[in-house]
Amino acid sequence: MSKVTPATRALAAASVSFTVHAYDYDPDAESIGLQAAAALGEDPARVLKTLMALVDGKPVCVVVPSDREVSMKKLAAAAGGKSAQMMKPFEAERVTGFKVGGISPFGQRRAVTTVEESALAHDLVYVNGGQRGLQVRLSPRDVRDVLKAAAADVLA
């Protein structure tokens, strides 16, 4: 497994301090984020999942704790829209350039990003590193700043 991905290149280019963590990815896991948290021995609230949605038909990337769900109503409001829905997997892969299970908010082709504000309560969080079985650990404030993301309550 390569530890250099578009995501890690984007973080390095932004001069962000991060560490890379590989784990055994289980493609049959019910929840990829929860499986990553268990494999890393971390609290699921600190292992963030990257979800792709459409708000009023436009792509939006949302980063939330792996043990929580997104409120589509709150996400639409946070992104300045009226309605939101999850993106189909093939569409998420096309828009981001990453495979499902390895979608990172960093290094995407283009996306507007929202970070769940509860993530900011932690010193360090894990975010997908742009490949299945690869996570990067960094400050949640760096996640927000590098992505130029809005921090909002989008949890169901």
Side-chain angles (χ1 to χ4, degrees), residues 1-5 98 101-103 128-135:
M1 167 186 311
S2 173
K3 293 186 179 178
V4 177
T5 67
F98 295 112
I103 293 177
N128 194 289
Q131 189 175 94
R132 293 172 178 165
L134 191 71
Q135 296 278 317

Side-chain angles (χ1 to χ4, degrees), residues 75-124:
L75 177 60
K82 293 182 181 176
S83 68
Q85 63 187 38
M86 292 305 298
M87 208 179 267
K88 302 253 187 274
F90 74 89
E91 191 175 3
E93 291 179 349
R94 182 184 57 77
V95 167
T96 65
F98 295 112
K99 295 272 185 213
V100 168
I103 293 177
S104 177
F106 306 107
Q108 289 189 9
R109 292 181 177 147
R110 60 183 170 86
V112 175
T113 307
T114 300
V115 176
E116 166 50 40
E117 64 188 7
S118 66
L120 299 175
H122 301 284
D123 291 336
L124 295 170

Side-chain angles (χ1 to χ4, degrees), residues 23-32 35-36 39 132-133:
Y23 68 96
D24 290 329
Y25 173 79
D26 180 0
D28 298 321
E30 189 174 318
S31 167
I32 294 167
Q35 189 262 324
R132 293 172 178 165

Side-chain angles (χ1 to χ4, degrees), residues 2-149:
S2 173
K3 293 186 179 178
V4 177
T5 67
T8 59
R9 281 194 294 273
L11 288 170
S15 299
V16 169
S17 177
F18 67 97
T19 55
V20 177
H21 303 266
Y23 68 96
D24 290 329
Y25 173 79
D26 180 0
D28 298 321
E30 189 174 318
S31 167
I32 294 167
L34 292 178
Q35 189 262 324
L40 293 167
E42 289 291 340
D43 177 352
R46 290 185 55 209
V47 179
L48 308 180
K49 59 186 174 183
T50 305
L51 303 173
M52 297 303 297
L54 294 169
V55 174
D56 295 344
K58 295 182 178 155
V60 174
C61 175
V62 60
V63 182
V64 298
S66 60
D67 61 343
R68 302 296 302 269
E69 298 298 321
V70 175
S71 161
M72 291 296 121
K73 185 175 181 178
K74 287 181 179 181
L75 177 60
K82 293 182 181 176
S83 68
Q85 63 187 38
M86 292 305 298
M87 208 179 267
K88 302 253 187 274
F90 74 89
E91 191 175 3
E93 291 179 349
R94 182 184 57 77
V95 167
T96 65
F98 295 112
K99 295 272 185 213
V100 168
I103 293 177
S104 177
F106 306 107
Q108 289 189 9
R109 292 181 177 147
R110 60 183 170 86
V112 175
T113 307
T114 300
V115 176
E116 166 50 40
E117 64 188 7
S118 66
L120 299 175
H122 301 284
D123 291 336
L124 295 170
V125 294
Y126 291 80
V127 178
N128 194 289
Q131 189 175 94
R132 293 172 178 165
L134 191 71
Q135 296 278 317
V136 292
R137 186 177 69 178
L138 69 167
S139 160
R141 284 156 291 292
D142 285 340
V143 174
R144 180 196 59 206
D145 296 348
V146 169
L147 296 172
K148 296 178 178 57

